[in-house]
Amino acid sequence: NELVVPGLKVQKVTRGGKEMYGLFATRDFKTCEAIGVYDGEVLTVPEFDSGTSAMRKIYAYETSVLHTEDSDLRLVILPTLLPDGSGIDFQAHPLAAVNEPGPGSTSNTYMQQIQLAPDAMQGPNPGDFLEPLVCLVLFTTTNISAGTELVLHYGNKYNRNYAVGRPTTVTC
């Protein structure tokens, strides 16, 4: 995937007796290192609410309010499914494999929303995106050694039915 740095590997893990995938470092990372951009299909919240599959909803990431020329809105980013629909395509969307920290532990990453003004960018305007250009970027919040799983607290609004660790207090 071109939207993540080298040194990451998606692999199977077991959490609470359930097999799933996680994202692991294959090299050392320093605190406040950008890991990648959370990508996928971009929908408005009403579009997301009206017809997204349950599988994709689990992996959705919502932006904070965006102030555009005409209105304020929120966007939701959804990674794509495998061709057979059996799960998320983690090869195309490795950041979707980032799990939450277990009970008693703290996130070693956080997601930062970054907005860019298209007129401040070099090159021609692609013309097919909403202004401002918005990216959700995953950053490390501590030094991470090779072999360590990257974990992210999904936020207090995330609908979960399991015990979870703490969000990080570090921002970069």
Side-chain angles (χ1 to χ4, degrees), residues 93-158:
H93 308 286
L95 295 188
V98 175
N99 293 311
E100 291 200 278
S105 63
T106 301
S107 292
N108 58 13
T109 66
Y110 85 104
M111 193 74 73
Q112 175 68 46
Q113 180 172 307
I114 298 173
Q115 292 183 207
L116 304 167
D119 58 0
M121 305 296 288
Q122 291 184 7
N125 181 338
D128 63 350
F129 61 86
L130 181 69
E131 294 184 26
L133 181 60
V134 177
C135 299
L136 296 176
V137 180
L138 187 71
F139 287 90
T140 60
T141 58
T142 187
N143 290 332
I144 296 175
S145 300
T148 302
E149 184 177 8
L150 281 68
V151 291
L152 170 70
H153 190 279
Y154 299 162
N156 294 330
K157 289 183 176 181
Y158 187 77

Side-chain angles (χ1 to χ4, degrees), residues 67-72:
H67 305 288
T68 67
E69 293 175 9
D70 299 330
S71 64
D72 292 343

Side-chain angles (χ1 to χ4, degrees), residues 11-73:
Q11 64 186 52
K12 288 185 179 180
V13 297
T14 302
R15 297 278 184 276
K18 182 179 178 185
E19 192 173 273
M20 60 184 63
Y21 290 91
L23 186 65
F24 289 79
T26 60
R27 67 171 177 89
D28 295 344
F29 287 93
K30 294 183 182 200
T31 301
C32 293
E33 197 168 332
I35 298 297
V37 176
Y38 198 86
D39 69 326
E41 180 182 7
V42 180
L43 301 175
T44 64
V45 169
E47 290 170 333
F48 172 76
D49 289 341
S50 70
T52 302
S53 73
M55 167 72 72
R56 289 181 75 197
K57 283 188 176 189
I58 294 169
Y59 295 93
Y61 212 104
E62 187 174 333
T63 67
S64 59
V65 174
L66 302 172
H67 305 288
T68 67
E69 293 175 9
D70 299 330
S71 64
D72 292 343
L73 59 100

